[in-house]
Amino acid sequence: MKLLSSESGNALVEFALILPIFTFIVLGVVNYSLRIQSGTQLAEAANAGAAFGSIPGNLANINGMKNAATAAAPGVAGLTAVASQVWTCTPGGSAVASSSTCSGYGTPIQYVEVTTSASVPALFSWPGLSSTLTLTETVYFRVPWTI
Amino acid sequence: MSRISACIHDEEGGALIETAVVLPAFLLLLFGFFCYAIVLQGYAAATFASWAGARYASVSSSTSLSPCTSAKVSALAANYLYAVSTTNETILTTWLPANTIGSTVNVSVKVKYAVQIPFFGQTSISVGNSAVRVIVR
C-alpha cells in the first residue's frame, strides 16, 4: 500500500511519457527547417534564371535561363528548371498572346518566368509517411527593353 | 545530538545551493547562445556578400564597359562582412572557364569567428557560403 501511494519518481515517469512525443516534434522541426532551406535555394536559383532572361538580348534564350538557374543552386540535387516568356497587357495582369495589341500600352509588356522544382528527401523518415516532398518556386522578371 | 540532527534536516539555503549547481550550466548555455548568434549572423552576412559579389561579377565581364577583377569583387563583398579583422575573411572568385559572357562565376566567402565558451576555452568556427551566376554582360 505504501508503494502505491508513493509519489517519488513521478517526474521520471512523466519524462518517459513525454520523451517520444518530444523527440518526434524535434525531428519534424529539423525536417521542416531543411525543406525551408531547400525552398530558399530554389527561389534563389529561379531568381538567377529570371535575372539572366531579363537582360536585354536574353529574352528568348530559354536554355540560357534554365542553365543560369541550374548553375545558381549547386546544392540542390535533382533541380529542374522551366523557363518561358510571358506577355501581359497590364503590369502583373493575365497573360496574352505576344502578337496582341493592348489598349494604352500598344505592344504587350514582356516578362520572363522561371520555375524551379526539386524533389527534396527528408533527413528523418518514418514508414507510412512520404519522405520526399516536391518543392516549386516561380520568379517573374519584367524585361525592361529588348534589342 | 538534537542540534546536529536539526542541522542535517535543516532545508534553509537549499535554493542557494541549487542555484550554485545550476548557474555554471546556465551560463554555458547563455554564452553558447551569444556565440552561436554571432556566428549565424556571420553566416547570413557571408551569404549576402557572396550573392552581391556574384551579381556584380555577372554584369562586369572583361568585355564590359567596367571589367571586374578578383580584387574588385573581394572589395565589394567585404563591405558586407563583420569579421574582427580582414585576415579572418576569405573571398575567392573563380571564373569558369573565363571572365567572358556565357561563362559562370563563383564567389565563395568564408568568415572565421573566434568564440569563447565557458569551460571550453577559445575555439574558432568558420562559416561561409558561395554563389554561382552566369555572366551576362
Side-chain angles (χ1 to χ4, degrees):
Chain A
M1 271 322 265
K2 206 169 187 180
L3 193 63
L4 278 179
S5 56
S6 168
E7 287 197 4
S8 61
N10 218 345
L12 191 71
V13 174
E14 280 173 17
F15 181 68
L17 280 174
I18 288 299
L19 192 64
I21 299 168
F22 184 70
T23 309
F24 276 114
I25 291 172
V26 169
L27 295 184
V29 167
V30 172
N31 272 347
Y32 198 70
S33 306
L34 290 171
R35 278 170 174 160
I36 290 174
Q37 190 186 30
S38 297
T40 309
Q41 289 170 331
L42 284 175
E44 182 68 23
N47 194 301
F52 177 93
S54 68
I55 294 285
N58 287 349
L59 172 68
N61 192 349
I62 300 296
N63 277 331
M65 282 187 261
K66 283 190 205 172
N67 290 341
T70 312
V76 182
L79 180 144
T80 53
V82 178
S84 60
Q85 289 174 264
V86 180
W87 293 267
T88 70
C89 272
T90 51
S94 55
V96 296
S98 62
S99 54
S100 52
T101 305
C102 304
S103 59
Y105 277 102
T107 53
I109 310 166
Q110 303 200 359
Y111 289 85
V112 288
E113 177 193 359
V114 176
T115 300
T116 51
S117 58
S119 181
V120 182
L123 185 64
F124 304 105
S125 59
W126 296 279
L129 281 176
S130 174
S131 65
T132 57
L133 189 69
T134 302
L135 300 176
T136 303
E137 297 283 347
T138 301
V139 170
Y140 285 95
F141 267 29
R142 184 169 172 174
V143 180
W145 70 86
T146 53
I147 53 172
Chain B
M1 196 60 196
S2 67
R3 197 179 279 175
I4 293 166
S5 162
C7 194
I8 286 171
H9 296 282
D10 187 1
E11 288 198 3
E12 251 180 78
L16 189 71
I17 291 166
E18 277 173 22
T19 307
V21 169
V22 167
L23 198 64
F26 179 70
L27 285 179
L28 182 68
L29 206 63
L30 192 69
F31 280 87
F33 283 150
F34 292 162
C35 286
Y36 196 61
I38 290 169
V39 171
L40 267 185
Q41 197 252 11
Y43 177 65
T47 302
F48 186 74
S50 67
W51 181 89
R55 167 72 194 156
Y56 166 61
S58 76
V59 292
S60 315
S61 76
S62 55
T63 54
S64 72
L65 292 176
S66 63
C68 75
T69 58
S70 198
K72 282 182 178 176
V73 175
S74 296
L76 181 110
N79 280 334
Y80 303 105
L81 301 177
Y82 305 97
V84 177
S85 117
T86 47
T87 54
N88 292 340
E89 305 167 355
T90 315
I91 303 165
L92 271 177
T93 309
T94 44
W95 287 271
L96 196 77
N99 189 1
T100 50
I101 293 171
S103 300
T104 57
V105 59
N106 183 330
V107 178
S108 159
V109 178
K110 275 197 180 68
V111 190
K112 194 170 83 176
Y113 283 96
V115 294
Q116 200 145 27
I117 300 172
F119 316 118
F120 281 90
Q122 189 163 352
T123 53
S124 69
I125 299 177
S126 283
V127 286
N129 214 333
S130 63
V132 182
R133 288 292 178 278
V134 173
I135 297 170
V136 288
R137 196 167 74 187

